[in-house]
Amino acid sequence: MTGTPSAPTTSQPYRELGLTDDEYERIVATLGRVPTDAELAMYSVMWSEHCSYKSSKVHLRQFRDTPATDRLLVGMGENAGVVDVGEGLAVTFKVESHNHPSFVEPYQGAATGVGGIVRDILTMGARPIGVLDPLRFGAADAPDTSRVLPGVVAGIGGYGNCLGLPNIGGEVVFDPVYAGNPLVNALCVGVMPVGRVQTSAATGVGNAVVLLGAKTGRDGIGGVSVLASATFDAEGGPARRPSVQVGDPFIEKILIECCLELFDRGLVVGIQDLGGAGLTCALTETTAAGIATGQPGGMDVDLDLVPLREASMEAHEVLASESQERMLAVVTPDVLPEVLALAERWGVHATRIGTVTDSGRLVVRWHGEVVVDVPPGSLADDGPVYERPLRRPADLDLLHADAPTALVRPGTGAELRETLLRMVASPNLCSRAWVTEQYDRYVQANTVLAQPEDAGVLRLSASGLGIALATDGNGRYARLDPFAGAQLALAEACRNVAAVGAEPIAVTNCLNFGSPEDPEVMWQFAQACAGLAEACRRLGLPVTGGNVSFYNQTGATPIHPTPVVGVLGLLPDVSRRTAMAFTGAGDTVVLLGETRDELGGSEWAWVTHGHLGGTPPAVDLAQEKSLAEVLVAGGRDGLFTAAHDLSEGGLAQALVESCLRGAHGARLELPADADPFVELFSESAGRAVVTIAAADLDRLAALCASHGLPWRPIGAVTAAADLEVAGQFTISLDELRTAHEGTLPRLFGSTA
Amino acid sequence: MPEVPLGDAGTPGAPRVGVVTFPGSLDDRDAAAAVRLAGADPIPLWHGDSDLHGVDAVVLPGGFSYGDYLRAGAIARFSPVVGAVVAAARNGLPVLGICNGFQVLCEAGLLPGALTRNSGLHFICRDQRLRVETSSTAWTGAYTAGEEILIPVKHGEGRYVVDASTLAELTAQDRVVVRYAGGNPNGSVDDIAGVCSENRRVVGLMPHPEHAVEELTGPGTDGLRMFTSVLGGLLRAAL
């Protein structure tokens, strides 16, 4: 049925497309001939780092060994993992990066990052119900940050708000290492009836292949190979702007509604979103997945049927285009008219572009000629895999030796007071309201908690069943120790989810690193993967999917290794969630966990001394587990009137946030033998503050004892409008609020 | 809740409140849920259908109808359903336009004025204090004039503008329904958050009362009375 495509005889520009000599040889060997231009373009994008995970694959395999719990319906390798949450509902969630485009064109880069992860969730069969955005920027006062951050935030809001997705959490972190490489990660979560989980496999010989959504244009060509799989050079920005896609959230919104109705009516055999590498990726992955089922498979595609924005596009451009808001569906011929009519009702373009065959090959025609004839697995699954060389960074011992113990610490009450005010106003600890007020957190009417709470909480059903989500990651910790840094990211995300009362049940991750061709970066990556996988095993949590973003570096300077971990938690009854606000004057403030002198990589060291050195806080996964269990049990039993996790900025930061949120004061009595500075600013892991009615102290004592968790009362919530540390200092809530809330508006302008 | 249909079997005898879905509507399910909480049956109305299915009142929900291309609400006003709503409203059908719905009502000429880009040029989502200025509309009868309530705002184009003579007329006729209190989030003239038609049956406002109907998911329940107000009026009319 296929003629051999006519191949060019001149030498091919494979290097310009990002392929190595070896990779090109391998393509020729696979095909038994020189590839056509269209085939070469397809291999170049599918074998790019972004699509093939060629450098990370050998390390990511460890995540497959994380515990497969009873809840896990779909694990790693699909568009997103799926977990059974009970009541016949399944939840799917995943975090992805859109870092490089967001530096080049902040608004569109961030907007299409949201659009892409939303389509991943939709592809699983789920209605998207929320997003979270972990963000990293250069120094808050750096000139370029005032270009990148407002654009990114507006893009996330502009796209997510128009889709009707509540934005319920995420992070905003500033550090000079991200100046040329901001990180824009986006997590989306969706829900569906358990029976509606979709597959991407193109099966059923004779079935129709339908392209849904926007027309295909020249935007985003080479996005994955040229942009996301290479390092920025000093002049790299503007010249690459055509590689950034442009989004239209309205088209995505009607595409979502259209697809959900297709799923509900059972009209879809297989479905795949078009993201990085566009049609190339969707066609090869659906065809390869179809063949992998063991049934006869293959696909014939007539590229001339693809609706184009520009008539002059070439075949390889149509195949590589990353135009947004498109989905590929496989449907049986008898329902094709119904599918097309349904799409028309929603105003969504739908075009049959191909047919499932039994040839075992993906064949693409263009202007009557066969331009592609390939075994799809060679593109989708059998790409190159590299065991890149690893080398422990040469400066790591020096960094470890440069411990924060040598830094001058505040000694007097007045100095502690001044330090605290400076800390709560610092870019990484100040109020995020400037950012989060630009996101709709209410739409869909099921948001129970959203930022600045420890985790976002969404109601799933009228019974009160709900989920909690949090993302965390501390690049400074990971710079000092990537193994521990990844574990601390997981521990903190679990802690945040548990603080609202939810039991952590599954993990997703977005691993943001420099160039894999740098052995020191690759060592950091290997360490982070090993650390995260081990911690997931110890905590009994499956990694259900994620994303790797390499080449986050400018010239030879990589970003801090930044593993961002997202944790999904389950709440049987969202009305029993615990919020962070101190609200009950007279309540006892209790510190759960142990405080040690741990300030390596801390916010205090950075804010007051510009220092990064020593080792990050110790990881104690057994204690993290105990803490989570206590937080979940206490929340469920109505023991806590408030709970807030301790992380960057330590106890002082947590108290300030809880006081301001609840407009209540607190009075702290530190133990006589304790160092008040360490008590207030240490970042020891495995800790949280909770408040309880004074009469419940015995109940709490019994709960903590049964889990072997250290705890101690440290003070009380007061009706006074100030935060007092007995014997040290008092600060009014007004002064704290002014310091905490003024920073981002001062840097980026007033929003109202 | 995710997969709950917009309408359901319905309660016999309960008032029927239509909730319009345009392509790009976002808060339509939320408005339907609020209608149900208030004790009425939400009836889904489709943008392409000019049949109002005999509903007793209509809510035009928030969102980005037709992508808000050109100008917010500018395309929606030409839809078949809005044509029917305009005709019915002139005959006294109670109509509530929330956010994008308010923008549509202004574009359709049922309400005076226009909504322009927020003065701060950013989308703003926050819990907003409002002062209910009049209880004599189809949608605010359950409030007391002068009462302060807390309801979320979330919009990028909510700055209400109107010419001076119309503003004077609105004020003189007690047609400013709600005003922003404790800070104006978008630069609206005279702190106006919502206005009503001359017959007081059509109300448009930027804040989202449907997001303040449950303690669990909103800043309070101050918004619920906007929906019970219209039901009270409908029941009285039926007696």
Side-chain angles (χ1 to χ4, degrees), chain A residues 525-618:
Chain A
F525 182 78
Q527 287 286 305
C529 288
L532 183 57
E534 187 206 61
C536 285
R537 283 193 299 271
R538 300 255 316 265
L539 295 176
L541 294 172
V543 174
T544 61
N547 171 244
V548 176
S549 174
F550 278 131
Y551 295 100
N552 295 290
Q553 65 179 58
T554 304
T557 312
I559 59 164
H560 288 330
T562 311
V564 170
V565 178
V567 168
L568 175 73
L570 190 60
L571 267 163
D573 180 0
V574 289
S575 73
R576 305 197 77 94
R577 87 289 186 198
T578 314
M580 65 186 267
F582 288 172
T583 53
D587 284 356
T588 302
V589 181
V590 174
L591 176 65
L592 304 177
E594 277 176 302
T595 306
R596 294 171 292 269
D597 187 338
E598 293 181 302
L599 290 138
S602 69
E603 210 52 49
W604 170 78
W606 182 257
V607 170
T608 61
H609 296 280
H611 179 267
L612 173 61
T615 53

Side-chain angles (χ1 to χ4, degrees), chain A residues 255-627:
Chain A
L255 185 62
I256 291 170
E257 299 301 334
C258 174
C259 287
L260 289 173
E261 201 170 331
L262 288 174
F263 301 153
D264 276 340
R265 293 205 206 165
L267 297 176
V268 172
V269 174
I271 191 147
Q272 176 71 45
D273 65 300
L274 275 72
L279 261 180
T280 292
C281 186
L283 293 173
T284 52
E285 288 192 348
T286 51
T287 311
I291 292 168
T293 63
Q295 303 172 53
M299 196 180 284
D300 270 8
V301 175
D302 184 350
L303 221 49
D304 293 294
L305 298 175
V306 174
L308 300 181
R309 281 181 206 152
E310 297 167 82
S312 63
M313 287 175 73
E314 299 290 329
H316 69 90
E317 292 178 308
V318 178
L319 285 166
S321 163
E322 294 187 6
S323 289
Q324 297 292 290
E325 294 98 21
R326 297 179 300 163
M327 302 283 283
L328 191 74
V330 178
V331 306
T332 57
D334 57 312
V335 302
L336 181 62
E338 191 181 350
V339 169
L340 298 180
L342 194 156
E344 188 177 343
R345 180 171 177 269
W346 280 107
V348 170
H349 285 294
T351 314
R352 178 179 187 165
I353 63 166
T355 306
V356 177
T357 68
D358 59 1
S359 68
R361 299 183 72 86
L362 172 63
V363 178
V364 178
R365 287 184 175 76
W366 175 249
H367 297 349
E369 304 244 323
V370 172
V371 292
V372 175
D373 182 352
V374 294
S378 68
L379 284 153
D381 305 316
D382 304 330
V385 175
Y386 295 136
E387 290 215 35
R388 303 264 192 200
L390 315 174
R391 188 175 65 236
R392 189 171 182 274
D395 63 358
L396 212 50
D397 289 331
L398 281 174
L399 267 177
H400 288 170
D402 181 19
T405 43
L407 303 176
V408 176
R409 298 177 171 198
T412 66
E415 287 170 357
L416 286 167
R417 186 184 193 281
E418 189 271 335
T419 301
L420 187 148
L421 279 169
R422 189 170 164 195
M423 295 275 289
V424 300
S426 68
N428 285 337
L429 299 179
C430 70
S431 166
R432 267 72 190 107
W434 189 92
V435 171
T436 57
E437 277 194 351
Q438 297 187 50
Y439 305 149
D440 184 349
R441 63 181 177 276
Y442 283 112
V443 67
Q444 298 198 14
N446 286 312
T447 305
V448 177
L449 292 177
Q451 64 276 26
E453 297 288 341
D454 286 340
V457 173
L458 297 172
R459 178 174 60 185
L460 298 181
S461 88
S463 73
L465 176 69
I467 51 170
L469 279 155
T471 68
D472 284 291
N474 185 316
R476 290 196 197 114
Y477 292 169
R479 174 71 175 91
L480 297 176
D481 182 344
F483 187 94
Q487 296 198 329
L488 287 164
L490 174 70
E492 189 184 346
C494 284
R495 210 147 67 219
N496 277 320
V497 160
V500 300
E503 177 201 351
I505 58 170
V507 172
T508 182
N509 61 73
C510 193
L511 305 173
N512 306 278
F513 286 76
S515 167
E517 296 159 41
D518 177 342
E520 296 192 349
V521 169
M522 212 51 220
W523 180 86
Q524 293 173 328
F525 182 78
Q527 287 286 305
C529 288
L532 183 57
E534 187 206 61
C536 285
R537 283 193 299 271
R538 300 255 316 265
L539 295 176
L541 294 172
V543 174
T544 61
N547 171 244
V548 176
S549 174
F550 278 131
Y551 295 100
N552 295 290
Q553 65 179 58
T554 304
T557 312
I559 59 164
H560 288 330
T562 311
V564 170
V565 178
V567 168
L568 175 73
L570 190 60
L571 267 163
D573 180 0
V574 289
S575 73
R576 305 197 77 94
R577 87 289 186 198
T578 314
M580 65 186 267
F582 288 172
T583 53
D587 284 356
T588 302
V589 181
V590 174
L591 176 65
L592 304 177
E594 277 176 302
T595 306
R596 294 171 292 269
D597 187 338
E598 293 181 302
L599 290 138
S602 69
E603 210 52 49
W604 170 78
W606 182 257
V607 170
T608 61
H609 296 280
H611 179 267
L612 173 61
T615 53
V619 181
D620 182 344
L621 294 172
Q623 179 153 319
E624 295 284 359
K625 203 166 190 325
S626 299
L627 176 67

